[in-house]
Amino acid sequence: MAGQNAELKPQQRSMQTSLGKVRGLGSARKGVSHWWMQRLTAMGMIPLVIYMVIALVTVIGDDYTTAVAWLQSPLNATAMLLLLGTGFYHASLGLQVIIEDYVSNEGRRLMAMVVVKLAMTGLAALSMFSVLSIALA
Amino acid sequence: MAQQRPLSPHLMIYKPQLTSMMSITHRATGAALALGSLLVVWWIVALATGAEYYSFVQSIIASWFGQLVLFGFTVAVFYHLSNGIRHLFWDFGHNLTIEGVHRTGYMVLASTVILTALTWALVFFG
């Protein structure tokens, strides 16, 4: 360890232990990207959520034909696709932080993380494909 | 035997405060919205499936239970939206004082109530 670090310049020497390195602990250098994407998707969703709430309130009681026609309009379909895409990404980032905070067991944390990431990806795919199948029908 | 060091007070020792309660509510509504997104997906899939299945889903949405869930969904949406904007202002360095977090906290609560009331007024009288 010491011999390894001695060959490096002072700013390149690591405080991390060999065991920590092997187990992949410590910074994954993804923190800033996670933080930034959570804010970026949040900002993007402000107008989308307001638009969709107003739109859904007016369309949700309507019959099938009206609802389909509503989702077939390019503006509504695009807004819905953007909301679903950014929404499920935002949710996946947020749920990740909740798991990291509360699930301390490494195995369970990994399992919860896999379940959440796959579920959010699956729901995004299912809902976005459904929107496209209506809009392009 | 580990050395007996002073521990920080447990969460339950603290008196509930506006700031801490609103912080955990932001997280709770976020998780609730992730779960509630299943309803939105269900509605869209029903629309893509066909008229018969869509009217079945519509009848559940129109039931008192469906309306209650939708009401909770709108409260969670508007709380998380309003408090999320409060968070974005903090990220830009605004309102990071005790006075600021309390003032904006009450603004978020008021905005949640007003936006929820407006939405349901639109549902029933729109």
Side-chain angles (χ1 to χ4, degrees):
Chain A
M1 215 20 212
Q4 199 181 61
N5 268 347
E7 297 159 21
L8 300 169
K9 291 175 192 151
Q11 65 268 29
Q12 289 173 323
R13 283 179 201 156
S14 172
M15 297 287 283
Q16 204 178 12
T17 65
S18 306
L19 182 61
K21 222 172 255 178
V22 168
R23 292 173 70 207
L25 299 176
S27 169
R29 300 187 175 276
K30 291 281 172 65
V32 175
S33 154
H34 183 285
W35 186 93
W36 172 240
M37 288 315 285
Q38 198 159 28
R39 268 73 187 171
L40 195 64
T41 50
M43 284 188 268
M45 276 197 293
I46 295 171
L48 289 171
V49 164
I50 294 169
Y51 177 82
M52 209 45 80
V53 166
I54 295 170
L56 282 179
V57 160
T58 52
V59 86
I60 205 151
D62 289 338
D63 60 16
Y64 178 74
T65 334
T66 321
V68 166
W70 174 80
L71 201 52
Q72 277 177 338
S73 118
L75 194 65
N76 292 333
T78 307
M80 188 58 102
L81 286 171
L82 283 174
L83 181 61
L84 291 168
T86 47
F88 280 115
Y89 186 38
H90 186 88
S92 139
L93 292 174
L95 291 173
Q96 179 188 338
V97 177
I98 295 180
I99 292 167
E100 285 166 351
D101 280 356
Y102 301 140
V103 187
S104 52
N105 179 287
E106 247 181 278
R108 263 183 245 160
R109 184 167 62 225
L110 181 65
M111 204 148 71
M113 209 73 98
V114 168
V115 168
V116 157
K117 297 278 167 177
L118 292 183
M120 292 301 117
T121 311
L123 288 172
L126 174 64
S127 54
M128 291 169 84
F129 173 78
S130 299
V131 170
L132 286 174
S133 77
I134 296 163
L136 302 177
Chain B
M1 186 65 192
Q3 199 184 327
Q4 290 292 317
R5 292 196 173 90
L7 297 167
S8 61
H10 192 268
L11 199 61
M12 295 305 162
I13 299 288
Y14 286 107
K15 176 187 168 194
Q17 300 158 94
L18 181 77
T19 43
S20 57
M21 290 297 116
M22 287 193 67
S23 171
I24 195 62
T25 305
H26 190 71
R27 178 164 279 197
T29 50
L33 287 170
L35 196 67
S37 73
L38 285 168
L39 289 174
V40 180
V41 174
W42 191 34
W43 184 78
I44 295 172
V45 169
L47 201 58
T49 305
E52 202 180 320
Y53 189 62
Y54 181 75
S55 64
F56 164 69
V57 172
Q58 283 292 79
S59 68
I60 291 173
I61 290 174
S63 72
W64 69 267
F65 184 71
Q67 294 291 294
L68 190 69
V69 171
L70 268 191
F71 180 78
F73 194 86
T74 53
V75 173
V77 164
F78 290 132
Y79 180 86
H80 203 82
L81 173 72
S82 307
N83 205 51
I85 293 170
R86 180 170 173 238
H87 265 281
L88 288 171
F89 273 98
W90 284 334
D91 293 337
F92 282 97
H94 298 292
N95 304 310
L96 290 167
T97 58
I98 297 295
E99 195 267 328
V101 293
H102 282 119
R103 185 170 42 79
T104 53
Y106 285 116
M107 281 167 70
V108 164
L109 294 179
S111 142
T112 306
V113 171
I114 292 167
L115 289 174
T116 307
L118 272 177
T119 303
W120 286 89
L122 201 65
V123 169
F124 288 114
F125 311 112

